[in-house]
Amino acid sequence: MAAGVTLNDVAKAAGVSIASASRAINGLDNVTEEIRDRVLAAAGRLKYVPHGAARALAMSRTNTIGVILPDIYGEFFSEIIRGIDVGARARGLHILVSGSHGDLNEAVTAVRSMAGRVDGLLVMAPYANAGDLAGKLPVNLPLVMMGGSAGQADLPSLIIDNYGGALDAVRHLREQGCRRIAHISGPENNLEAQDRLRGYLDGLKENGGTQEPIVLSGDFTDNAGYAAVRGLLRGTMPDGLFAANDMMALGASLGLREAGLSVPEDVAVVGFDDIPVTRYASPPISTLRAGVFDIGQRSLELLSVLIERGDAEGGPPPASQTVRPELVVRASSRRLSPSNA
Amino acid sequence: MAAGVTLNDVAKAAGVSIASASRAINGLDNVTEEIRDRVLAAAGRLKYVPHGAARALAMSRTNTIGVILPDIYGEFFSEIIRGIDVGARARGLHILVSGSHGDLNEAVTAVRSMAGRVDGLLVMAPYANAGDLAGKLPVNLPLVMMGGSAGQADLPSLIIDNYGGALDAVRHLREQGCRRIAHISGPENNLEAQDRLRGYLDGLKENGGTQEPIVLSGDFTDNAGYAAVRGLLRGTMPDGLFAANDMMALGASLGLREAGLSVPEDVAVVGFDDIPVTRYASPPISTLRAGVFDIGQRSLELLSVLIERGDAEGGPPPASQTVRPELVVRASSRRLSPSNA
DNA sequence: TTGTACGCGTTATCAG
DNA sequence: CTGATAACGCGTACAA
C-alpha cells in the first residue's frame, strides 16, 4: 500500500546510491550540488514521498504525540485538542488522537496501538479504575495524564481542582441568596464528577449550613440536564442549581425556561468547564473556567519536556501541576435583587 | 524511544524462536498451547507492546486513516470528526488528524507526513488552489476529498451543494417577506464560501427580483458576524440576513439584539451548516443542514471501500457523491406576521 | 563526497 | 508445529 515509490527508486532514477539520495532529500550538506539537484528532480518527477513508518523505525522518532480522550469531539474535548494543537504546531509535532468512549479497556487498547507510532502520550481517563492503566502501559514511553483526580497514580499529570471549584460554585450561589441549592451530577464512575459532587456536599455544610443535599444524577449531556429539571417540576423547586458541567447547565436552563421559570431570578444556574457555547446561551451561563485550552497546551509542554530529556516514567519528580478553576459569573446566576426564597 | 522491550526479548524470555512468539501473540492457530501460554506469560511479565511502526512496515497495513481538516477543533470540524470516528470505530480503524490552518502548503506537508503511516486519507481543503494538491500527492494512496467544490479535481469526493443551499436560504427569506436581504460572506479564497455567495446573488435575481446585493465580508468567525452587523448600523438596515455559516449568524444575531433590534421581527437570520450550538442560541438559528456528521461518516465509508479494493486514485469512476443541504427553519427566521419592510 | 552494509522490530516464507 | 531468514523502507556508521 502506502507510497509505491521508494527512496531506492529515486536513487536509481538519479543514478546515485540510496545513501546519497537520502542525504540529498534530508538536506544534509555533504552532497554535491549536482547530485542534490539530480535527486530532487527525480524525487519530484516520481512523486516520491518518504515512508513514515520506515523512517520512524530507523530513527526511533515519529514527531507525533498520541492523545487519548474519552471522546474526540464536542465542545469540551475540542477545546483541549485546540490547546494541544497550538503547542504541537509550534514544535512541529503531529497528533494521533483516539477516543476511549468512557471505557478503560478501549483506552488501554488505544495506548497499545500507539506504541511505536508516537513519541509520547497525553491521556485523559477519568475512570474510577484508571489506576489499572498504569500497569498495562508500554515501558519507556513518556506520558502525561490530563485532569486526573489528585494523586491517583504517580504519573506526571495536570490536575484540575474539581473539588475546590465546586466549593466556589456553592459559595457563589449562596452569596447570591440561594437557600435551596441542587446539584446535577456527572457519571457515577467519573472521578472528576465525583470530586465535584464532594465539593457540592461540603459546600452546603460550610458556615454551619444545614440544607439537605439535593442530587440529581446526570451523565454530562445536555439532555440529562434537561431531564433533571423536568423531574424537579413536580416538587419544590430549588432556587439554585449547580451542574457538574456546562452542557447539563445548558440543558437545565433550557428546561427551566420552558417551564416558565426565569433564570436567574427563580433559579440561579452555574455550570463547570467554561466551554465556548456558554456565552451564546440565553442567559449566558455562569461557570468555572478550568482553562480547558490551557490544560491541553500545558500538558503538551510538560510532555515535550519529558520527551526531550529522553525520560520515561521513572525520572525525578512527577512534575505534576494543579489548576484551580476560576469562577466566571454571568447572567445565569447574577441576581440584582435579593433572593425571593 | 518507543517500547524498549521487543518481541525478541519476549521470545528469549519464553525460550522460543521469535517466529513462534509472533504467532502466539497474533493468535495464529499453529502453535502449541504450551508455547502460547509461555509466550503470553512472558509478554505480560515484560509488559511487551508491539511496535506499531515496525508492524506497519512489515505488513503494509496501519489500520489508521489520516484526516486533514482546515482545523481540528470547533463546532463544525468537531462534528465531522465525530462522523468519521463512529465509522472508524466500527471498522477498527484509528485516526491521525492534522489541521492545515487554512493554508494549502500546510495541507501538503500534512499529507506527506502521513504517507506510510496511514492506509488512506480524508482531506478537506476548500482552497482556491486546491487543484495543486492533487499533483503533490503520494501515488497509490487512497484518498477522498470532503466537501470539495463540485468537480474541481477528479478525485473521489463528497460534494456539498453549497450553491443550492444558499439559493434555498434566499428563497426562504423572501417567503418570510424579506425585501432587503444582506449576505455575510466567508473567506474570499474559500471555495465553499464562494459557492454560497453565488447562490445568494443568483437567488436575489430569481423571479424577476431586482434587489441590489448587499455583501458584507466575513471570515467564518462569530466576531466577523458581529462586526458585520455593527457596520450595518449606520445605514439602512436590511430585513433579512443570510450568513455563510452558523458562527457568523450567531455573532450577527447577538449584534442585532445588542443594537436593540429583534430577530426575526426586524431582521430574519439564516445560517449554514447546522452546528449544534444553533439550538441553544436565542433565538435558535435557522440554517442549512449540510449533514456535517453524515459527511464525515460517508467519506469514511467511501474511503474504506477504496482501501479494501486496493484502489488508489486510478480506478473506475471517482464515485463522488453530492449532498444537498436541507433547510431547517427555526425561530430566527420564522415570522408569524407579514414583513414590515 | 560517495557508496556499502547493517540495524530498527515485525511479519511471512520456507525448510525442517 | 517450529525455527532460521528474507523482506519492509529508511538512516547512518564505516570504509573507500
Side-chain angles (χ1 to χ4, degrees):
Chain A
M1 211 113 320
V5 35
T6 79
L7 187 56
N8 212 330
D9 300 332
V10 177
K12 227 172 288 179
V16 302
S17 83
I18 182 174
S20 295
S22 172
R23 289 189 274 253
I25 294 222
N26 289 35
L28 302 194
D29 49 353
N30 48 351
V31 228
T32 322
E33 284 266 337
E34 188 209 328
I35 289 207
R36 176 188 308 285
D37 292 347
R38 255 191 0 230
V39 171
L40 259 39
R45 184 153 28 86
L46 271 53
K47 291 190 185 178
Y48 166 72
V49 177
H51 191 287
R55 181 176 248 165
L57 187 56
M59 305 201 304
S60 314
R61 242 298 195 193
T62 63
N63 288 316
T64 301
I65 61 123
V67 179
I68 298 179
L69 300 171
D71 272 309
I72 60 180
Y73 43 76
E75 290 265 344
F76 182 81
F77 302 116
S78 196
E79 265 303 280
I80 289 205
I81 293 183
R82 187 165 75 87
I84 297 174
D85 185 57
V86 312
R89 252 163 72 69
R91 293 175 173 69
L93 296 174
H94 292 267
I95 300 180
L96 184 56
V97 290
S98 196
S100 60
H101 304 91
D103 182 36
L104 183 63
N105 286 331
E106 277 202 59
V108 173
T109 305
V111 170
R112 305 191 91 223
S113 86
M114 286 189 177
R117 305 168 28 134
V118 300
D119 296 336
L121 237 36
L122 245 33
V123 7
M124 181 169 199
Y127 318 126
N129 46 354
D132 303 1
L133 205 154
K136 302 186 179 176
L137 288 181
V139 202
N140 232 7
L141 185 59
L143 179 154
V144 170
M145 300 288 292
M146 293 185 296
S149 190
Q152 52 179 59
D154 52 353
L155 299 167
S157 44
L158 235 90
I159 298 162
I160 301 174
D161 185 0
N162 292 293
Y163 175 82
L167 225 44
D168 287 344
V170 175
R171 284 175 189 154
H172 165 66
L173 286 172
R174 281 191 161 181
E175 281 168 11
Q176 298 297 312
C178 298
R179 300 280 179 79
R180 267 176 65 80
I181 303 174
H183 175 62
I184 308 182
S185 64
E188 264 187 42
N189 63 345
N190 185 299
L191 293 180
E192 317 228 28
Q194 289 174 14
D195 285 347
R196 291 173 191 181
L197 172 58
R198 279 198 307 115
Y200 161 75
L201 294 176
D202 286 0
L204 288 184
K205 293 186 206 144
E206 276 191 338
N207 297 324
T210 63
Q211 187 211 304
E212 192 90 358
I214 308 173
V215 178
L216 312 166
S217 58
D219 61 1
F220 278 167
T221 67
D222 47 355
N223 286 332
Y226 185 86
V229 166
R230 305 298 297 185
L232 233 37
L233 291 178
R234 332 176 177 285
T236 320
M237 217 40 185
D239 57 357
L241 191 54
F242 166 48
N245 78 343
D246 286 337
M247 284 311 281
M248 295 198 297
L250 238 37
S253 173
L254 193 65
L256 288 169
R257 274 168 30 223
E258 280 189 17
L261 294 169
S262 93
V263 178
E265 284 75 20
D266 294 324
V267 184
V269 175
V270 175
F272 208 115
D273 289 343
D274 191 33
I275 59 179
V277 228
T278 51
R279 281 178 34 201
Y280 289 107
S282 69
I285 305 289
S286 293
T287 189
L288 282 138
R289 175 178 301 155
V292 194
F293 174 89
D294 290 332
I295 292 174
Q297 197 174 19
R298 289 170 62 182
S299 310
L300 184 88
E301 271 166 30
L302 199 61
L303 179 62
S304 66
V305 168
L306 292 185
I307 294 178
E308 236 48 68
R309 84 172 185 207
D311 200 287
E313 46 174 310
S320 297
Q321 301 182 15
T322 298
V323 181
R324 172 76 180 240
E326 168 196 4
L327 180 68
V328 179
V329 179
R330 299 207 178 93
S332 75
S333 72
R334 192 185 294 123
R335 289 178 169 178
L336 303 179
S337 57
S339 158
N340 52 352
Chain B
M1 211 114 321
V5 37
T6 79
L7 187 56
N8 212 330
D9 301 333
V10 176
K12 227 172 286 178
V16 301
S17 81
I18 183 176
S20 294
S22 173
R23 289 188 275 253
I25 294 222
N26 289 38
L28 301 195
D29 50 352
N30 47 352
V31 225
T32 322
E33 285 266 337
E34 189 211 327
I35 288 207
R36 176 186 311 283
D37 292 347
R38 246 173 29 212
V39 171
L40 259 39
R45 184 152 31 84
L46 272 53
K47 290 191 187 177
Y48 166 73
V49 176
H51 192 289
R55 180 176 251 167
L57 186 56
M59 305 201 303
S60 312
R61 243 299 195 188
T62 63
N63 288 316
T64 301
I65 61 122
V67 179
I68 297 178
L69 300 171
D71 274 306
I72 61 180
Y73 43 76
E75 290 266 344
F76 182 80
F77 301 118
S78 195
E79 264 304 278
I80 289 206
I81 293 183
R82 188 165 73 87
I84 296 174
D85 185 57
V86 311
R89 252 164 72 69
R91 292 176 175 69
L93 296 174
H94 291 268
I95 301 180
L96 184 56
V97 291
S98 196
S100 60
H101 304 89
D103 182 36
L104 183 62
N105 286 330
E106 276 201 60
V108 173
T109 305
V111 170
R112 304 191 92 226
S113 86
M114 286 188 176
R117 306 168 28 134
V118 300
D119 295 335
L121 237 36
L122 245 35
V123 7
M124 179 169 208
Y127 318 126
N129 46 355
D132 304 0
L133 204 153
K136 301 185 180 176
L137 287 180
V139 202
N140 231 8
L141 185 59
L143 179 153
V144 170
M145 298 287 292
M146 293 186 296
S149 189
Q152 53 181 57
D154 51 353
L155 299 167
S157 44
L158 235 90
I159 298 161
I160 301 173
D161 185 1
N162 292 293
Y163 175 82
L167 225 44
D168 287 343
V170 175
R171 284 175 189 153
H172 165 65
L173 285 173
R174 281 191 160 178
E175 282 169 10
Q176 298 295 313
C178 298
R179 301 279 178 81
R180 267 175 64 79
I181 302 174
H183 176 62
I184 308 181
S185 63
E188 266 188 41
N189 64 343
N190 185 299
L191 295 178
E192 317 226 28
Q194 288 173 16
D195 285 348
R196 291 172 192 183
L197 173 57
R198 280 200 305 114
Y200 161 74
L201 295 175
D202 286 0
L204 289 184
K205 293 186 205 141
E206 275 191 340
N207 297 323
T210 62
Q211 186 210 307
E212 193 89 359
I214 308 172
V215 178
L216 312 166
S217 58
D219 61 2
F220 277 168
T221 68
D222 48 354
N223 285 332
Y226 185 85
V229 165
R230 303 298 299 187
L232 232 39
L233 290 178
R234 331 175 177 286
T236 320
M237 218 39 188
D239 58 356
L241 191 55
F242 166 48
N245 79 341
D246 286 337
M247 283 312 280
M248 296 198 296
L250 238 37
S253 175
L254 193 63
L256 288 169
R257 273 170 30 224
E258 280 190 17
L261 294 170
S262 93
V263 178
E265 285 74 21
D266 295 324
V267 184
V269 174
V270 175
F272 208 114
D273 289 342
D274 192 33
I275 59 179
V277 228
T278 50
R279 280 178 35 202
Y280 289 107
S282 69
I285 305 288
S286 294
T287 189
L288 282 137
R289 175 177 301 156
V292 193
F293 174 89
D294 291 332
I295 291 175
Q297 196 173 19
R298 289 169 63 180
S299 309
L300 185 87
E301 271 166 28
L302 200 62
L303 179 61
S304 66
V305 169
L306 292 185
I307 294 178
E308 237 46 69
R309 85 173 184 206
D311 199 287
E313 45 174 311
S320 297
Q321 300 183 16
T322 297
V323 181
R324 173 75 180 242
E326 169 197 3
L327 180 68
V328 179
V329 180
R330 299 207 178 93
S332 75
S333 72
R334 194 185 294 124
R335 289 179 168 178
L336 302 178
S337 57
S339 158
N340 53 351

